[in-house]
């Protein structure tokens, strides 16, 4: 069964036919930075690649790792198979890195306190790890940039504020500044250090500038963002101020500005939202781009192109965030803060085309913009970057883009921190797999947890309890590339309000235009295990709309309940994810409910013995004499073992009465999904949750992105071919 991955065309800016004839960035590898730890080290410690740069030959990457107080190195001689080169220990917390030739220039924070900041700039030979020079910077460094001609380094000395003091309000002394140091052939000239004062420029706390990020153009001019001050300064090579100006404000319309914890509603506005830019990157000698992450008072959810005189040439407004909404990466829990939080901005020219790469930290996405006309950038792609993208590097000579993703979810059992590599290829774009682009309204979505195919070739999918105030059924057209969400049905009760206390994990057709949906219960949160009958408009039917568990099941229920539902004749079959109180080890129930007789029954399914964590069922679908189930573990990345599709003869699914011994059905392997989950160059996603089988027998699989909460936000939606010949 050949795998047919659902590919991104740049529906954001292009039609599907156009994208096929164009160059696209595609992810080719993801490197878990825990692999750089030496043998015998405690790999349960947090790692965090933040700022990243490449050697002049483009064969080696070096990144800052603040938790480990180290400079990590990766061999990308073959970028599709990156190899660990180990960590270089540092005397403090690295904040940024720039590379000239084979020498890394690393800003290191060794501050004793907020009121006594200190740090150094170290020159380190990347191959040997030897320190070549070290200069005292007189304060706490943040961003480091190298001049294009390699003649000097600029360092933003932030002297950051204490966020717990006076609510984080500034001024808080000492003030920050800009430092410039000359470079020798392969090291630093500490005696050349020039300190450029930046006080008295900003209207907001002008006595306490807090430089955040620096970039240097071909004229040797350094642009500095003062994020908390909402100000930008351009400094000449001699240290004089070329220009300075407020970063300004934006009026935002059509945003979700309320953290209601569970609904994507984009009908609010924010007036006069300060940009408060973080990263900055020159596009040419006259224009630069900023990522307007915001700090404690602002954040405009987008990015801006300025002339160096302060003129705004372009502002994305809400268009960047809306594009992210459409591919399911919107971080709803950040709605009341700064939304997708564009934090990183990087520039590179590939094959003559100038690109700006905008990284959205909370959405775990990088936007690829063609800035051939700085006044009218074109969004070409949105790439899945990994959890919490912090820094990017470009290697145009090798057609490579690199993303350092700082979030390490080791404490939560999630994915480890990664560095991702993308290649500009003469190939269709491979992401997103699913989008709501083209729908009549802006449809936000995420946490796809269960699917069913309709007779017309459409697929219906539900979201889970992450969107507790907006339980929804999405209509997906899988015939398009990428697959399209073309409509949405909101599940509600008779009073018109969204149905709450639902954790939708499965959906099937009722044969009359409506649906049965399975809700996974959780007693400690008063969420019942139940089945709901929903009409075509999303209304839970009043009289027989809720089917509660019988006493025999309620007596043995546990948290991990129904994870899928399918209809065979007049019987509903539900897959229980994990063992309940009366189940033998590694056996779970497939529960049956006869819609005519109202009788309950079950059979047992034997699942794999978990190597780590747990293994359970997450979906069930019936087709042509078989029930198909997804059996998976809860492991991510290199730790994942079990991601399988099995099938069970329906002839064996004869339910026995509850409370007694249950027959054990046989299973046949249809597909090991691990190769599919690795096929896009990313780490293996843990939650394979959806499976739908078209009338033709074609099987579609989807993953749950957890509502972009401690998740990369990535959703995979792909075909594994047709039924009939198990692999």
């Amino acid at each position: 069964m050949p795998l047919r991955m659902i590919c991104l065309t740049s529906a954001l800016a292009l039609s599907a036919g156009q994208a096929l004839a164009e160059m696209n960035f595609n992810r080719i590898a993801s490197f878990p930075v825990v692999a750089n730890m030496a043998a015998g080290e405690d790999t349960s410690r947090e790692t965090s690649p933040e700022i990243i740069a490449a050697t002049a030959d483009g064969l080696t990457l070096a990144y800052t790792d603040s938790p480990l107080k180290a400079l990590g190195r990766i061999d990308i001689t073959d970028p599709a198979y990156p190899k660990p080169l180990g960590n270089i220990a540092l005397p403090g917390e690295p904040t940024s890195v720039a590379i000239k030739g084979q020498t890394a220039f690393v800003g290191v924070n060794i501050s004793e306190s907020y009121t006594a900041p200190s740090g150094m700039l170290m020159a380190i030979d990347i191959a040997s790890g030897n320190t070549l020079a070290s200069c005292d910077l007189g304060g706490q460094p943040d961003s480091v940039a190298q001049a294009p001609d390699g003649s000097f380094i600029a360092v933003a000395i932030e002297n950051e504020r204490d966020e717990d003091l006076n609510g984080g309000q500034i001024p808080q002394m000492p003030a920050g500044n800009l430092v410039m140091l000359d470079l020798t052939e392969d090291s630093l000239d500490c005696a050349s250090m020039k300190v450029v004062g930046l006080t008295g420029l900003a209207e907001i706390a002008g006595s306490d500038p807090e430089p955040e990020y620096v970039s240097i153009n071909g004229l040797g001019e350094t642009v500095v963002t003062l994020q908390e001050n909402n100000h930008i300064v351009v400094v000449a090579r001699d240290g004089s101020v070329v220009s300075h100006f407020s970063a300004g404000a934006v009026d935002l319309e059509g945003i979700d500005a309320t953290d209601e914890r569970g609904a994507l509603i984009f009908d609010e506005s924010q007036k006069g939202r300060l940009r408060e830019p973080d990263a900055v990157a020159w596009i040419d000698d006259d224009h630069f781009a900023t990522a307007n992450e915001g700090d404690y008072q602002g954040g405009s959810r987008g990015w801006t192109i300025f002339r160096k005189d302060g003129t705004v040439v372009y502002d994305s407004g809400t268009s960047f965030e809306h594009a992210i909404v459409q591919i399911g990466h919107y971080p709803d829990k950040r709605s009341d803060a700064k939304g997708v939080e564009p934090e990183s901005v990087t520039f590179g020219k590939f094959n003559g085309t100038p690109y700006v790469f905008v990284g959205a930290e909370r959405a775990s996405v990088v936007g690829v913009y063609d800035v051939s006309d700085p006044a009218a950038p074109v969004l070409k792609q949105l790439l899945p970057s990994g959890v919490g993208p912090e820094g990017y590097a470009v290697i145009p000579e090798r057609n490579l883009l690199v993303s350092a993703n700082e979030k390490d979810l080791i404490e939560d059992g999630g994915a480890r921190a990664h560095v991702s590599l993308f290649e500009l290829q003469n190939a269709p774009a491979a992401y997103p797999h699913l989008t709501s682009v083209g729908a009549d309204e802006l449809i936000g979505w995420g946490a796809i947890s269960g699917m069913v195919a309709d007779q017309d070739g459409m697929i219906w999918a539900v979201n889970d309890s992450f969107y507790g105030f907006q339980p929804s059924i999405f209509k997906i057209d899988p015939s398009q590339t990428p697959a399209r969400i073309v409509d949405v049905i909101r599940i509600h009760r008779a009073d018109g309000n969204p149905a709450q206390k639902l954790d939708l994990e499965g959906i099937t057709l009722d044969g009359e235009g409506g649906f049965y949906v399975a809700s996974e219960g959780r007693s400690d949160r008063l969420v019942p295990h139940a089945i709901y009958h929903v009409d075509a408009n999303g209304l839970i039917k009043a009289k027989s709309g809720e089917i509660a568990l019988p006493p025999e099941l309620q007596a043995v229920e546990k948290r991990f309940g129904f994870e899928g539902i399918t209809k065979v004749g007049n019987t509903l079959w539900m897959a229980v994810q994990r063992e309940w109180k009366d189940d033998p080890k590694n056996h779970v129930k497939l529960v049956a409910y006869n819609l005519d007789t109202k009788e309950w029954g079950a059979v047992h399914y034997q699942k794999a013995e978990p190597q780590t964590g747990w293994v359970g069922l997450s979906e069930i679908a019936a087709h042509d004499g078989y029930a198909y189930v997804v059996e998976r573990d809860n492991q991510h990345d290199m730790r994942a073992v079990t991601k399988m599709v099995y099938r069970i003869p329906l002839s064996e699914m004869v339910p026995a009465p509850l409370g007694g011994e249950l027959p054990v059905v046989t299973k046949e392997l249809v597909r090991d999904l691990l190769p599919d989950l690795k096929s896009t160059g990313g780490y293996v996603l843990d939650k394979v949750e959806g499976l739908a089988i078209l009338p033709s027998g074609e099987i579609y699989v989807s993953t749950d992105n957890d509502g972009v909460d401690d998740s990369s936000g990535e959703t995979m939606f792909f075909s594994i071919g047709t039924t009939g010949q198990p692999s």
Side-chain angles (χ1 to χ4, degrees), residues 228-395:
E228 288 83 357
N229 311 87
N230 196 42
H231 209 76
I232 299 172
V233 184
V234 179
V235 178
R237 177 67 182 93
D238 63 5
S240 61
V241 173
V242 174
S243 62
H244 71 91
F245 44 87
S246 168
V250 180
D251 291 336
L252 300 176
E253 302 287 347
I255 64 171
D256 185 347
T258 302
D259 179 13
E260 73 294 288
R261 292 300 170 97
L264 297 170
I265 304 170
F266 301 96
D267 62 358
E268 296 177 275
S269 63
Q270 289 179 336
K271 303 295 185 182
R273 189 73 170 176
L274 300 180
R275 291 190 173 97
E276 292 185 347
D278 187 332
V280 62
W282 287 99
I283 295 173
D284 54 37
D285 288 344
D286 191 48
H287 299 85
F288 57 79
T290 62
N292 305 324
E293 177 199 24
D295 201 273
Y296 64 103
Q297 291 184 344
S300 66
R301 305 181 180 224
W303 68 286
T304 306
I305 295 178
F306 292 91
R307 283 197 181 92
K308 64 185 177 186
D309 64 1
T311 303
V312 173
V313 174
Y314 167 82
D315 191 278
S316 67
T318 58
S319 64
F320 181 51
E321 183 165 275
H322 283 183
I324 290 171
V325 168
Q326 291 170 326
I327 66 165
H329 278 251
Y330 182 76
D332 187 55
K333 284 190 176 181
R334 302 296 300 176
S335 289
D336 64 336
K338 296 166 282 186
V340 299
E341 289 193 26
E343 181 175 19
S344 309
V345 65
T346 308
F347 174 79
K349 185 174 286 188
F350 288 76
N351 298 333
T353 300
Y355 291 101
V356 165
F357 305 94
V358 184
E361 178 187 15
R362 299 292 179 171
S364 296
V365 160
V366 57
V368 181
Y369 284 85
D370 180 340
V371 292
S372 297
D373 180 356
V378 177
L379 179 57
K380 306 295 287 187
Q381 290 182 262
L382 289 171
L383 304 175
S385 64
V387 187
E390 176 76 13
Y392 292 85
V394 293
I395 313 174

Side-chain angles (χ1 to χ4, degrees), residues 97-150:
V97 60
I99 296 177
K100 177 183 178 183
Q102 301 293 319
T103 303
F105 300 95
V106 187
V108 181
N109 177 19
I110 55 173
S111 301
E112 296 179 2
S113 67
Y114 291 108
T115 56
S118 60
M120 62 181 73
L121 184 66
M122 300 179 67
I124 299 173
D125 179 75
I126 293 173
S128 68
N130 294 332
T131 299
L132 306 175
S134 179
C135 305
D136 183 353
L137 295 171
Q140 172 250 317
D142 196 334
S143 172
V144 173
Q146 178 192 178
D149 64 2

Side-chain angles (χ1 to χ4, degrees), residues 557-636:
E557 64 91 13
K558 295 177 74 173
R559 170 184 168 187
F560 298 95
F562 292 163
E563 282 273 338
I565 185 171
T566 192
K567 186 170 179 282
V568 180
N570 284 326
T571 299
L572 298 176
W573 282 95
M574 287 67 65
V576 178
Q577 186 177 63
R578 290 167 61 182
E579 298 95 327
W580 280 8
K581 295 173 185 177
D582 62 337
D583 292 320
K585 183 179 180 182
N586 295 325
H587 287 69
V588 294
K589 293 183 182 71
L590 301 177
V591 175
Y593 176 73
N594 189 298
L595 292 165
D596 292 333
T597 66
K598 315 302 182 186
E599 292 178 301
W600 291 82
V603 297
H604 263 140
Y605 174 97
Q606 185 173 4
K607 59 189 180 65
E609 173 80 29
Q611 294 188 18
T612 305
W614 54 260
V615 170
L617 299 184
S618 60
E619 179 67 295
I620 185 169
H623 180 81
D624 198 21
Y626 291 91
Y628 292 75
V629 297
V630 174
E631 182 178 330
R632 69 167 180 90
D633 58 22
N634 66 334
Q635 300 300 299
H636 302 73

